[in-house]
Amino acid sequence: MNTRRNFIRTVGASSALMFLPGTMLPFGYNRWDIPEEWVEAEISKGKIKGMRSAGVNIFKGIPYAGKVSGDRRFRRPGPLVAWTGVRDTYELGPPAIQGPRRGEPAPAEDCLFLNVWTPANDGKKRPVMFYSHGGGFVIGSGGSGGQDGANLARNFDVVVVQTNHRLGMLGFMYLDELGGAEYAGSGNMGLLDITEGLKWVNENIHVFGGDPNNVMIFGESGGGAKTSCLYAMPEASPFFNKASIESGPGVRMMTKDMAAKNTELVLNEFGFTKNNWKKLLEVPTDEILRVQAKIPFVPPFQEKKNTGGLTEPAVGGFGPVVDGIVLPNHPFDPTAPNISKDKPLMVGWNEDEYTFFAWERKDTEFATLDFDGLKSRLEPQFGADTPKVIEAYKKARPEASPADIFVAVSSIVMMGLGSVEIAQRKAKEDGAPVYLYNFGYKSEKLIPGTDYPMGTPHAMDISFKFNNEQPPKDGEPDRPSFFGGGRPERFTASHNMAAYWTGFAKTGTPHAEDLPKWPEYNLNSRPTMRIDTKCEVIDDRFSQELAMWREIGRLP
């Protein structure tokens, strides 16, 4: 199995399962969001009403840009029209077109809404944490329960913002060569929507007690890849100051030629030609989803020797396009983007990323592998290099079982090699610092059908970094976390991760009281912060394994 390719193909579908809200009231209420009073604010387009709950002002479903349906499909948003009176903003806005989402409104083409959590609308200049959701480039929303921003705002005195933005075909259909100037940037509309959200923050966040001159962008999985692109985009550059790429290293994106071939594939599926491509503007959204489902969720990036990380994608899929304008270059290839040279960066991954995909795919076979079986599972991806891969991991981890080695190899290929590549290239730039991490808190929950624990799967970091792993209150029983398990130690690990992230948001240096100092990554000692109930700096982590990956050309 080609782990990288299969991961990229399935991340969109599986990410629907990443963000399972808890018990919900009307759209977007978490069980702790009980309104104590209504709060009004005046922003650039009119007055809004949100709610105050347990020390946090919450505004949901704020429109940040205009129409993207009808004649605006595949184009930049229409102007946002001001409103009169007071607009209610205490329920989520609709997410982008996709399947139904539990606890959220029905998806809609006009989906440009955002949510804000703040300790107070008091004029204070708090750091702003602007999050891009996961789900590859085809699903997800800024209203998912696990990434609720109330605890970060409440416990760490920051302002949290999350957007809905166009996804899939509607967000990343490359029509520049067919539509001309009117459709310039069409292959990156999803990213340009996020940029509109950043512009909204720059104009309005002071009303919510946030500092428009201290904005951190961050995101996990597909949100990490979006963040990688934003870090390299001239239009986004003026509106953020630092970034964090989490389990979603976007080293390379689609080229124009690949995107054009993908467009041709879509036209063929609909029975359209290049001469009548504008019929796409009339296609109902359910038909768009039907055709979209026939195409890989995001570009199935292939590994190429001597380049490493996310490299040349095959034709097919929807994702950002290196169009030379909106996204001038690949985000981190061949170098880190000079446009963000002076912006601090965090990048990293979870230690056991693959166990999420084993759970999602119902892969129980990996847990019973012997070494012959391990060789058979890895050979389709690594070919003649398979013995070198296995021997390197057996030598570096003499106590590891074949299943352990399979999880470790799959996890680092999915998310680790690209993260290390980004850290290396940012460090070589000799500008603002880069900080490399591994999240390592171990969940005791077993993968169904196996005796193998989840460990630290893909997406488990979401609820941890948002400080949503919290002790029960008011006599409630402790409800085990969906991935994180039921051990009370998870509350400490969640506090630690949230503390480092908010420390980075405040100063550009990940720091927290009573936690170890986190040194910037360099090409000599190569320090990595391992985040758990106890955090520790590990120099040149995975050195033996990474040496092997370099030897076989999977990492520069």
Side-chain angles (χ1 to χ4, degrees), residues 35 80 89 107-108 138 165 245 323 349 377 389 443 471 484-485 524 544:
L80 181 60
T89 56
V138 294
H165 43 268
I245 299 167
D323 59 8
W349 76 100
R377 284 289 294 260
V389 173
S443 170
N524 296 315
Q544 294 182 63

Side-chain angles (χ1 to χ4, degrees), residues 363-378 401-407:
D363 176 12
T364 58
E365 179 197 33
F366 87 92
T368 62
L369 291 173
D370 58 19
F371 279 104
D372 286 338
L374 175 64
K375 183 172 181 288
S376 296
R377 284 289 294 260
L378 295 180
S401 69
D404 294 337
I405 291 176
F406 182 76
V407 169

Side-chain angles (χ1 to χ4, degrees), residues 6 9 66 70 164-165 216 219 229 295 317 345 378 446 499 504 540:
N6 286 343
R9 285 181 184 273
N164 294 346
H165 43 268
M216 169 187 170
C229 293
I295 298 170
L345 179 67
L378 295 180
L446 300 180
F504 182 71
D540 207 8

Side-chain angles (χ1 to χ4, degrees), residues 220 246-247 350 439 457 459-466 497:
E220 182 272 347
E246 302 145 10
S247 294
N350 298 351
F439 178 50
M460 194 177 89
D461 57 304
I462 297 170
S463 62
F464 280 73
K465 66 175 166 256
F466 278 97
M497 195 170 196

Side-chain angles (χ1 to χ4, degrees), residues 4 26 48 51 79 99 121 140 159 231-233 241 264 295 297 323 355 383 470 497 539-540:
R4 161 75 71 178
I48 58 174
M51 69 176 183
N121 294 56
V159 179
Y231 198 73
M233 283 175 55
N241 311 90
E264 193 172 333
I295 298 170
F297 282 103
D323 59 8
T355 59
Q470 289 287 319
M497 195 170 196
D539 285 342
D540 207 8

Side-chain angles (χ1 to χ4, degrees), residues 61-72:
I62 304 172
Y64 67 88
K67 175 182 172 183
V68 290
S69 62
D71 64 350
R72 286 285 175 173

Side-chain angles (χ1 to χ4, degrees), residues 303-309 311 385 417 547-556:
E303 299 288 351
K304 285 182 66 179
K305 288 195 174 187
N306 303 317
T307 53
T311 59
D385 290 325
L417 297 182
M548 177 274 298
W549 293 120
R550 292 186 179 100
E551 180 187 345
I552 68 172
R554 298 279 173 151
L555 181 68

